[in-house]
Amino acid sequence: MTSELITLAADGGLIPGSTPTQIPGLDGPVSRIFGYGLWLLILAGAGGVAMGVYKLAVSDKSRNGGGAEPFKWMGGGVAAILLSTSLITILNGISGG
């Protein structure tokens, strides 16, 4: 089931241009799932940023409105993007890719 989902995600264009690099000592489906998981974390971060921008656009701008919530969404999205891109960079450095 898991390998079918990964194949569908990769073939369907859901994950743009992602080809995970093999990590030494971590071969097979675990390496592929981990690599694709990091790319999905980037997409989730982008979704969080987009949700924050949307909430900022439609929020109540009066003094009584909850003005911090859109920035929490955007901050969480940016944090997810930074975390996943740094992990991808580290793992590519380890594997020599």
Side-chain angles (χ1 to χ4, degrees), residues 58-81:
V58 298
S59 68
D60 180 19
K61 307 261 187 325
S62 68
R63 291 187 180 265
N64 296 329
E69 185 182 4
F71 297 104
K72 290 178 187 177
W73 278 93
M74 287 186 274
V78 169
I81 292 170

Side-chain angles (χ1 to χ4, degrees), residues 29-86:
V30 174
S31 178
R32 290 187 66 197
I33 290 171
F34 190 70
Y36 285 125
L38 291 174
W39 285 103
L40 289 174
L41 186 59
I42 290 175
L43 294 176
V49 170
M51 185 64 160
V53 169
Y54 170 76
K55 284 186 171 280
L56 185 63
V58 298
S59 68
D60 180 19
K61 307 261 187 325
S62 68
R63 291 187 180 265
N64 296 329
E69 185 182 4
F71 297 104
K72 290 178 187 177
W73 278 93
M74 287 186 274
V78 169
I81 292 170
L82 290 176
L83 173 71
S84 59
T85 53
S86 64

Side-chain angles (χ1 to χ4, degrees), residues 4 8 10 14 17 25 48 58 64 74 79 87 89 94:
E4 293 172 5
L8 288 175
L14 178 66
V58 298
N64 296 329
M74 287 186 274
L87 285 174
T89 303
I94 290 171

